[in-house]
Amino acid sequence: KSNNAAITNSDDRPNYTHVDANGMIGIIGVSNNKVILTTYDANGNDLWTNKLEGFSSNGPLGLEKGPDGNYYVGYFWSQMRKVNGSTGNSMWTTTASSYITDDFVVDGNGDAYIVGTDYPGTIIYIDKILSNGTKTWTKTYTGFYGFGGDPVHLKMDQSGNLLLALNATNNVGDRYLSVAKFDTVGTNPAQVWHNAYTSNIGEVKDFMLDNTTNASYVTGSISNGGNAF
């Protein structure tokens, strides 16, 4: 359904869409330099729209819905926010440990995991934030080569492990496609393994998990002519 009732400014920029099992649609983006979350029912009828704290320079980096029906919003400048799914009102905002944030995931308990880096990107941070907004632990990771990198996608497998696809940086600043796996047990989660495609300089584009086989799949580009792999 075409619907422009909620957002009508010339600089409108929808960023992410979430559709739940009941067909409820959430769209988050930027309008008139403000972050806006708007929702529709399965028939496309307006439910509510709310202007959230934040500006286009601190725009959203994702939209997820927890098991309690409330939304989670990650912000580029190191913030996580929970929003009431029925009213659009903010429930809490928590600051992440990183300088900037790149991706996040929400588990079946409503706990969020958000990944980002320091400046200039030599240390990667993963925070666990409980469903009530309390940050319980922070995992630091310096990448496959020990010089950090650029996180791209964060996923959680069926066993509750986190898998991070990133562009790992070496000692001369070249970047290589890499994947790292972390457990989420206790308050000091362990790095289970990490690996990198070291034959060519490359860049991660997309990442997915197959929960049937526990395999992970990464797509990206490499430097010899930009071939996909």
Side-chain angles (χ1 to χ4, degrees):
K1 177 180 176 178
S2 176
N3 191 325
N4 65 357
I7 303 176
T8 58
N9 293 289
S10 60
D11 66 343
D12 292 348
R13 187 176 72 247
N15 293 96
Y16 297 95
T17 301
H18 182 279
V19 182
D20 68 14
N22 297 315
M24 182 176 174
I25 304 164
I27 301 174
I28 194 164
V30 176
S31 180
N32 197 24
N33 203 35
K34 293 287 188 179
V35 176
I36 288 185
L37 176 58
T38 187
T39 58
Y40 305 92
D41 66 17
N43 297 313
N45 299 309
D46 296 334
L47 296 176
W48 51 260
T49 296
N50 197 7
K51 291 183 179 180
L52 304 177
E53 224 177 87
F55 298 90
S56 57
S57 61
N58 188 24
L61 60 86
L63 179 67
E64 297 288 343
K65 203 170 192 180
D68 57 3
N70 298 313
Y71 287 102
Y72 293 74
V73 180
Y75 287 84
F76 178 75
W77 293 112
S78 306
Q79 286 184 324
M80 170 68 68
R81 173 168 298 207
K82 188 173 184 178
V83 178
N84 188 293
S86 299
T87 65
N89 295 327
S90 295
M91 300 173 68
W92 50 255
T93 301
T94 299
T95 300
S97 300
S98 57
Y99 179 71
I100 60 172
T101 46
D102 296 276
D103 200 11
F104 72 96
V105 65
V106 179
D107 68 16
N109 297 315
D111 300 332
Y113 303 81
I114 188 166
V115 63
T117 62
D118 67 345
Y119 180 82
T122 55
I123 301 174
I124 296 164
Y125 296 88
I126 302 175
D127 293 323
K128 179 178 181 177
I129 302 173
L130 299 181
S131 61
N132 63 7
T134 302
K135 185 166 60 178
T136 60
W137 54 251
T138 300
K139 176 69 178 178
T140 59
Y141 174 58
T142 56
F144 185 78
Y145 295 100
F147 295 91
D150 302 318
V152 181
H153 295 292
L154 185 67
K155 306 285 187 183
M156 177 171 278
D157 67 17
Q158 287 187 321
S159 300
N161 299 302
L162 294 172
L163 287 106
L164 173 65
L166 69 151
N167 302 314
T169 305
N170 68 6
N171 62 325
V172 296
D174 293 332
R175 300 191 302 173
Y176 295 82
L177 181 150
S178 181
V179 177
K181 182 177 181 178
F182 307 90
D183 70 29
T184 58
V185 177
T187 58
N188 186 26
Q191 175 189 311
V192 180
W193 54 256
H194 64 177
N195 209 339
Y197 182 83
T198 59
S199 298
N200 297 89
I201 297 171
E203 204 168 274
V204 173
K205 298 299 182 183
D206 204 1
F207 181 53
M208 67 176 291
L209 299 181
D210 182 346
N211 284 320
T212 302
T213 63
N214 287 325
S216 57
Y217 299 88
V218 184
T219 60
S221 59
I222 54 178
S223 61
N224 60 345
N227 295 323
F229 63 91

